[in-house]
Amino acid sequence: MSKFKKKKGGEIPAVNTASLPDIVFMLLFFFMVVTVLRDNNLLVQNTLPKADQLEKLKKDRSVYIYAGKPSSRYKDKYGTEGKIQIGDKFTDISNVKFALTEAREALRPELQDKVMVALKVDEETNTGLVTDIKQQLRDLNMLKIIYITAPGNPVDQ
Amino acid sequence: MARRATPEVNAGSMADIAFLLLIFFLVTTTIEKDKGIARQLPPDEEIEDPPIIKQKNLFIVSVNKDDQLLVEDELMKVGDLREAAIQFLDNGGAPNGSPEYCNYCKGARDPKSSDNPEKAVISVQNDRLTSYSMYIAVQNELVAAYNFLRNRESQRLFGWKFTEVKQAIDEGSFNGNEDDAQEKLERIQKLFPLKLSEAEPKKSGQ
């Protein structure tokens, strides 16, 4: 009868962790789905101004333009004047048209006519720079723009 | 004969691998929530003979390089701009019986101010050195004035708020007849068309 040796009694069975991978995978898939990988490196300061009359931006048909002072680690190289960034490099105002045409071509062809330009401009920038950008957009006939802002009340600042 | 079980694949490290991936995505995630004030720019073409706008139908907002606000030749705080714009748009100064009479306006009906919301134009004049935050604050207040009036009219005519329904449709969470609601939104937009004009900014010091 030595075949049926009794196990040593009194041990607490280990917690079953078989379902742990499933749980982790579920979380993993959630984050994979909601993740947007940052596609451009910000070269300018970007504190957005506040506003509360907001509309949502349709992402698949938008082109981003950033503007502001170069951020602190680029200050030595590019100075402190307000600059425009499209994609991941600084763009001169005369070059905006070219860069935007390029950015527009990267979008899906059926959405290229409905393109919306999202302006992410630092709150300390001068309006003159924004006006220059808008003039370029009018020349290009990209007339739909959206000023990206942070939610908040602009009056109590 | 003793039954021999096929050895199972060791899945103990699966959790580790999954954790590694999970942490990678956790770190790289930026859940972006871009929102803002949408605008349509005027096309870049010369207008042959621009319509003449009467002085009383024009509401001039100018901002100087020190972010000071001048509304209709009066110094004003940004906080009061919304109220002033609502009064101007909602004035309905055209006399009762004339074709321009505005029957849904609830304003002061001052003949010196705007005839009706369709005629009323708000003109914003900036300096090139105005800060962008001030520019956005002014735009925001003016859009707020329009939204207030549109909400009031949609509440009166249809019993819901213009901005809420518009947002629901944009997000795809509107339940009900969407085409019908869209049509109603356009009707409200016709009652209070967004007529914001932006003048070429002045160079500083002029």
Side-chain angles (χ1 to χ4, degrees):
Chain A
M1 297 299 271
S2 60
K3 242 185 183 175
F4 305 110
K5 220 188 264 168
K6 260 190 190 157
K7 278 186 186 164
K8 282 169 201 142
E11 247 179 75
I12 306 161
V15 177
N16 187 2
T17 57
S19 57
L20 188 69
D22 301 354
I23 296 164
V24 174
F25 265 119
M26 221 156 68
L27 281 171
L28 174 63
F29 288 142
F30 170 73
F31 279 102
M32 276 176 77
V33 169
V34 298
T35 293
V36 186
L37 290 174
R38 266 214 109 91
D39 48 1
N40 37 20
N41 186 13
L42 215 53
L43 303 173
V44 292
Q45 280 177 25
N46 214 240
T47 321
L48 298 172
K50 285 184 187 143
D52 50 13
Q53 310 290 324
L54 302 180
E55 281 174 55
K56 247 193 170 170
L57 171 70
K58 290 197 178 93
K59 251 223 170 99
D60 54 351
R61 57 193 68 175
S62 56
V63 173
Y64 282 93
I65 298 179
Y66 301 91
K69 292 173 182 158
S71 48
S72 53
R73 65 191 152 131
Y74 296 106
K75 230 169 224 166
D76 301 339
K77 212 167 161 191
Y78 297 107
T80 53
E81 277 291 299
K83 275 186 175 287
I84 305 163
Q85 182 195 347
I86 298 174
D88 47 14
K89 51 187 183 294
F90 285 125
T91 309
D92 199 59
I93 189 73
S94 56
N95 238 334
V96 164
K97 273 188 208 170
F98 180 69
L100 275 175
T101 319
E102 217 170 50
R104 173 157 66 175
E105 271 158 19
L107 293 178
R108 279 170 37 209
E110 67 267 31
L111 293 176
Q112 283 183 11
D113 300 335
K114 295 178 187 156
V115 68
M116 201 168 196
V117 180
L119 292 173
K120 281 192 151 182
V121 181
D122 188 74
E123 60 182 1
E124 282 174 30
T125 320
N126 299 334
T127 316
L129 188 69
V130 184
T131 315
D132 291 343
I133 298 173
K134 283 196 290 194
Q135 190 52 48
Q136 298 294 319
L137 290 172
R138 287 175 64 190
D139 285 355
L140 266 181
N141 210 23
M142 293 163 94
L143 299 177
K144 273 191 171 171
I145 59 168
I146 182 164
Y147 306 110
I148 304 292
T149 56
N153 192 344
V155 177
D156 46 54
Q157 273 177 8
Chain B
M1 216 163 85
R3 251 174 62 225
R4 205 188 279 169
T6 40
E8 255 181 66
V9 178
N10 185 7
S13 55
M14 182 136 87
D16 302 353
I17 296 165
F19 262 123
L20 216 74
L21 283 169
L22 174 63
I23 289 163
F24 168 72
F25 279 102
L26 262 172
V27 171
T28 55
T29 297
T30 41
I31 301 178
E32 289 199 31
K33 38 175 186 352
D34 279 342
K35 286 181 168 186
I37 301 174
R39 256 313 125 69
Q40 181 94 24
L41 295 175
D44 193 26
E45 52 195 33
E46 292 294 315
I47 302 166
E48 300 264 306
D49 47 343
I52 296 155
I53 300 168
K54 279 188 217 156
Q55 189 56 44
K56 65 173 187 169
N57 281 327
L58 204 57
F59 186 75
I60 296 170
V61 180
S62 34
V63 191
N64 75 357
K65 69 178 172 44
D66 299 318
D67 288 353
Q68 284 165 321
L69 198 63
L70 197 69
V71 179
E72 295 279 72
D73 297 327
E74 256 176 74
L75 214 59
M76 195 179 270
K77 286 198 190 98
V78 193
D80 303 326
L81 178 60
R82 187 183 304 199
E83 199 46 51
I86 289 172
Q87 267 174 26
F88 166 74
L89 292 171
D90 200 26
N91 178 55
N96 198 346
S98 75
E100 278 148 12
Y101 179 70
C102 165
N103 54 7
Y104 52 87
C105 294
K106 296 198 174 72
R109 305 209 176 266
D110 176 4
K112 287 201 193 84
S113 187
S114 79
D115 280 334
N116 57 31
E118 200 146 328
K119 292 249 163 164
V121 173
I122 297 181
S123 167
V124 184
Q125 168 101 57
N126 287 297
D127 190 282
R128 282 191 71 90
L129 289 180
T130 307
S131 80
Y132 186 64
S133 59
M134 185 62 184
Y135 173 78
I136 288 294
V138 169
Q139 296 290 328
N140 184 64
E141 290 311 296
L142 295 177
V143 173
Y146 276 104
N147 278 345
F148 172 83
L149 292 169
R150 286 174 173 182
N151 276 345
R152 195 191 71 194
E153 283 313 298
S154 64
Q155 194 92 52
R156 181 175 69 88
L157 290 171
F158 312 120
W160 38 252
K161 280 197 167 141
F162 178 88
T163 44
E164 282 168 11
V165 169
K166 191 160 191 274
Q167 193 186 7
I169 289 178
D170 279 349
E171 284 171 7
S173 62
F174 183 72
N175 37 10
N177 189 346
E178 209 171 297
D179 292 334
D180 181 49
Q182 197 74 47
E183 210 172 282
K184 283 175 176 167
L185 288 183
E186 273 162 28
R187 256 177 74 193
I188 301 287
Q189 270 170 4
K190 273 215 186 88
L191 293 182
F192 286 105
L194 188 74
K195 292 204 172 169
L196 276 177
S197 121
E198 268 178 55
E200 195 71 15
K202 288 185 209 152
K203 297 244 163 53
S204 188
Q206 282 179 5

